[in-house]
Amino acid sequence: MADVPVETAEADVVVVGAGLSGLTAASRLYQRGLSVRVLEADNRVGGRTCDLDVGDGLVTEGGGQWIGARHERVLGLLGELGLSTFGTHTAGDSIYLRRGTRRTFSGAIPPMTLLAKLDFAQAQHRLERMAGQVPAAAPWTATHAVEWDSITLGYWLDEHCHTDESKHLFTLGFTLMYCEDPHRISLLKVLHQIATSGGIEYMFSTEGGAQESRIVGGATRPSTVLAERLGERLVLGSPVTAIEQGSDGVLVRSTRIDVRCRRVVVAMTPADVDRITFAPALPVRRAALQRVWHNGTESKLFAVYRRPFWREQGLDGSAMTDLPVAHYVMDNSPPDGSVGILVTFIGTAGAGPGLTWSDDLLDEPAAREKALVADLVTLFGPEAAHPLQVLEQSWVDEPWIAGCVSTRAPGVLTGYTDAATRPVDRVHWAGTEAAPQFEGYLEGAVRAAERAVDEIVAAAR
């Protein structure tokens, strides 16, 4: 059979990647009067937002999902799209289980021992103080940048947390945030995140913090609405294979369509960009960054029940524990509570005591489901023993996305400085990893898109 000829087209700008950042960039460019084409490798939009069907037209969020009041750009985008948010469920007490002792508490601070509370406070103060010395726009220029980028957050916690309890809570919080063992994350990266994402308390908190709200209809809704508005300007199932720059423009080659354009926005993690061939070749610093880049390995597990029965017990559905699977649990039910959904996060093997996975849990879905239900029974009682279904979104199994939230290993920030954001001639970078603030959040995805659009508009003047 003869090969099917590849379609050809022209546009002012090609956007590679139809996640929230790429689609926001395309929308903003179109609003500025530029013609656009969006090329997406997958057969769906949304990137690292991914809604899972739980039946009866309801979904739960398999990827990024939470929004805080300081996330002004994404809230503004939702307003433009006619979408709304609802508050993460926080009414009731939370559960704190450590070393077999289960206690409930209200407010944001779990019932740690007094010594652990003091230890947590001193470590938080030190981290915040160091973060205040990290320039937001260029963290590699901080006075202690080389020192802080030569060690991991995990090493720092080992050295400066004097109680196992406070160290466990810091490890739990940062592991969830970065989907990675803190012993693999640069301390400088974490300090920069603290400086640009509202501080530790905001980053860790639900009520009044970064996990305060969710999007009605699921976290993929903004992407689907943007995609509907773009119409035929969006091409799905067409992985970009090459980006060829010349003196008069760029040729973007993909499996279904080749597009000639003036500028390109690549809205992918650096690790995923390494699949694309560039001509001329990328600068060594950018190419090397893509090779050393690492995305977190965490997945999300959901237990779906007929109703959120824990609310009848006066509980908000959240828990912090040292159990085998359910280290951190939240109520992920729909806004009307028509079904009950509890979510936890798995897959960060080796993160420390209470956060280390046995081989059977890592390799066998049935074992993970059984262990999750057992943990939920420990936390919420016998009613948790019979979920309608257990769902899992595994980001390491995605064909076009190399893991979920990105991190930086020691040496990456000081070794590659601004290579994640600096344009390469006519190629500009988006995706939440290229955000000036709130990197890793939905907010960061929108901010990175708007930054790339501003670069393109400025270049055209």
Side-chain angles (χ1 to χ4, degrees):
M1 180 182 292
D3 292 337
V4 177
V6 174
E7 180 185 350
T8 60
E10 294 186 358
D12 291 323
V13 183
V14 168
V15 177
V16 182
L20 179 61
S21 194
L23 292 169
T24 299
S27 176
R28 296 286 184 253
L29 289 163
Y30 184 71
Q31 289 169 349
R32 301 279 189 107
L34 298 173
S35 60
V36 296
R37 284 286 183 130
V38 181
L39 307 181
E40 167 58 45
D42 211 335
N43 290 313
R44 67 172 184 88
V45 299
R48 284 170 286 173
T49 60
C50 176
D51 296 332
L52 307 180
D53 183 7
V54 298
D56 296 327
L58 300 173
V59 299
T60 192
E61 302 94 335
Q65 66 176 87
W66 285 294
I67 298 172
R70 298 185 188 182
H71 298 167
E72 298 172 354
R73 300 291 204 284
V74 72
L75 287 170
L77 176 64
L78 294 178
E80 291 177 33
L81 301 178
L83 302 177
S84 59
T85 63
F86 66 101
T88 302
H89 184 76
T90 58
D93 289 341
S94 303
I95 296 172
Y96 183 63
L97 189 148
R98 178 172 168 78
R99 294 179 177 174
T101 299
R102 176 187 181 278
R103 287 174 284 177
T104 59
F105 68 99
S106 59
I109 302 175
M112 298 182 281
T113 65
L114 177 59
L115 187 59
K117 287 181 181 178
L118 293 172
D119 189 31
F120 190 96
Q122 67 82 20
Q124 178 177 346
H125 175 73
R126 287 189 181 197
L127 288 169
E128 298 274 9
R129 186 179 61 191
M130 291 189 294
Q133 302 173 45
V134 178
W140 49 87
T141 65
T143 301
H144 301 286
V146 173
E147 173 191 348
W148 292 340
D149 202 29
S150 68
I151 62 175
T152 66
L153 169 65
Y155 174 84
W156 190 93
L157 293 173
D158 291 340
E159 293 294 309
H160 294 92
C161 287
H162 306 298
T163 66
D164 289 340
E165 188 172 17
S166 69
K167 183 166 69 174
H168 176 263
L169 287 173
F170 271 117
T171 300
L172 176 60
F174 283 114
T175 297
L176 293 169
M177 187 177 305
Y178 294 116
C179 307
E180 188 53 89
D181 181 351
H183 291 88
R184 298 187 64 181
I185 305 170
S186 161
L187 176 61
L188 180 62
K189 154 63 185 172
V190 176
L191 296 176
H192 180 248
Q193 183 89 57
I194 293 169
T196 58
S197 297
I200 292 174
E201 182 175 354
Y202 187 78
M203 293 159 67
F204 279 17
S205 295
T206 300
E207 194 167 5
Q211 286 70 237
E212 188 169 41
S213 301
R214 295 161 59 198
I215 301 170
V216 174
T220 309
R221 282 294 295 150
S223 295
T224 57
V225 173
L226 287 168
E228 289 165 1
R229 294 187 176 185
L230 286 167
E232 64 182 12
R233 301 177 189 89
L234 167 64
V235 182
L236 297 177
S238 191
V240 169
T241 57
I243 297 176
E244 302 170 2
Q245 298 197 65
S247 58
D248 58 346
V250 188
L251 175 61
V252 180
R253 297 186 182 275
S254 72
T255 56
R256 291 183 57 195
I257 186 171
D258 292 346
V259 187
R260 293 193 177 276
C261 59
R262 291 187 291 163
R263 297 271 167 177
V264 178
V265 176
V266 179
M268 304 164 63
T269 75
D272 294 322
V273 177
D274 205 42
R275 298 188 176 110
I276 301 172
T277 299
F278 286 82
L282 292 171
V284 171
R285 192 161 58 99
R286 172 71 201 196
L289 174 71
Q290 294 175 181
R291 295 296 179 91
V292 303
W293 196 273
H294 177 72
N295 291 350
T297 56
E298 208 166 64
S299 298
K300 297 174 79 172
L301 267 179
F302 304 85
V304 183
Y305 298 92
R306 293 189 184 280
R307 71 188 195 287
F309 62 85
W310 48 91
R311 298 182 186 179
E312 300 163 14
Q313 303 171 13
L315 300 172
D316 65 3
S318 70
M320 289 177 277
T321 85
D322 58 2
L323 291 170
V325 174
H327 306 145
Y328 184 74
V329 181
M330 289 188 72
D331 184 326
N332 222 58
S333 307
D336 61 0
S338 53
V339 297
I341 303 175
L342 295 172
V343 60
T344 192
F345 307 80
I346 68 167
T348 49
L355 293 171
T356 301
W357 299 91
S358 60
D359 289 343
D360 61 330
L361 291 182
L362 283 172
D363 297 335
E364 299 296 334
R368 289 196 293 274
E369 178 176 337
K370 182 179 179 180
L372 169 66
V373 172
D375 283 358
L376 295 179
V377 169
T378 298
L379 293 170
F380 298 102
E383 284 188 274
H386 305 291
L388 299 174
Q389 57 182 319
V390 173
L391 302 173
E392 180 174 345
Q393 173 62 33
S394 173
W395 288 101
V396 297
D397 293 326
E398 285 291 309
W400 299 108
I401 300 174
C404 45
V405 178
S406 294
T407 62
R408 306 282 198 288
V412 172
L413 270 175
T414 51
Y416 302 96
T417 62
D418 65 348
T421 57
R422 179 183 286 273
V424 177
D425 296 329
R426 297 172 182 267
V427 176
H428 304 259
W429 311 107
T432 190
E433 289 76 18
Q437 291 178 292
F438 296 102
E439 180 185 338
Y441 294 92
L442 301 180
E443 174 74 2
V446 174
R447 289 183 183 240
E450 293 177 344
R451 192 214 72 252
V453 170
D454 287 344
E455 290 172 355
I456 290 171
V457 171
R461 290 173 183 161

